[in-house]
Amino acid sequence: QVQLVESGGGLVQAGGSLRLSCAASGLTFSNYVMGWFRQAPGKEREFVGRITRSGDRTYYTDSVKGRFTISRDNAKNTVYLQMNSLKPEDTADYYCAANLFVTYDGKYAYWGQGTQVTVSS
């Protein structure tokens, strides 16, 4: 079955960096658009960004542009989220998700279990 497993979360001070990884199995990874989402306590899930199947294009929500970078390694079936200049408002559970095509409603076919990121002020 399809599995997406995130890792790399943790506690970091404001201004610091973290790199999240999402390892995929059970699917032909290069066929899937990969997205990153986050959900802060008491808030709705929020789209963070996505990357095309080949990795040639990325798209980010405005609040993370210039600070976050999504990349992928199709040979390793892994997508990454590099987070720099972290702010306390970036504190959330972060999820990766996979879908065969770009979707704007957040309805990705497969989801990971999430990894927690806490940014202290």
Side-chain angles (χ1 to χ4, degrees):
Q1 73 276 22
V2 175
Q3 279 194 310
L4 302 177
V5 180
E6 300 96 336
S7 60
L11 174 64
V12 63
Q13 288 189 331
S17 299
L18 280 176
R19 188 175 84 152
L20 306 184
S21 299
C22 170
S25 60
L27 76 172
T28 304
F29 184 69
S30 59
N31 286 352
Y32 285 79
V33 174
M34 298 300 297
W36 283 97
F37 293 79
R38 65 186 181 185
Q39 187 167 19
K43 295 188 176 181
E44 293 188 353
R45 186 179 64 199
E46 174 189 26
F47 170 78
V48 174
R50 66 172 177 267
I51 187 167
T52 54
R53 298 175 188 85
S54 66
D56 62 337
R57 282 173 292 160
T58 52
Y59 179 82
Y60 304 94
T61 193
D62 286 345
S63 61
V64 307
K65 281 181 183 176
R67 302 189 298 121
F68 289 13
T69 303
I70 298 173
S71 61
R72 66 190 295 164
D73 185 337
N74 285 346
K76 294 183 178 180
N77 288 358
T78 302
V79 62
Y80 305 96
L81 178 64
Q82 177 68 45
M83 305 185 293
N84 298 329
S85 302
L86 282 162
K87 304 175 181 180
E89 52 263 44
D90 294 317
T91 295
D93 291 327
Y94 283 73
Y95 300 86
C96 67
N99 206 55
L100 283 171
F101 47 85
V102 173
T103 175
Y104 299 100
D105 60 4
K107 293 181 180 178
Y108 280 57
Y110 303 107
W111 291 83
Q113 84 290 347
T115 186
Q116 188 173 56
V117 172
T118 303
V119 184
S120 63
S121 57

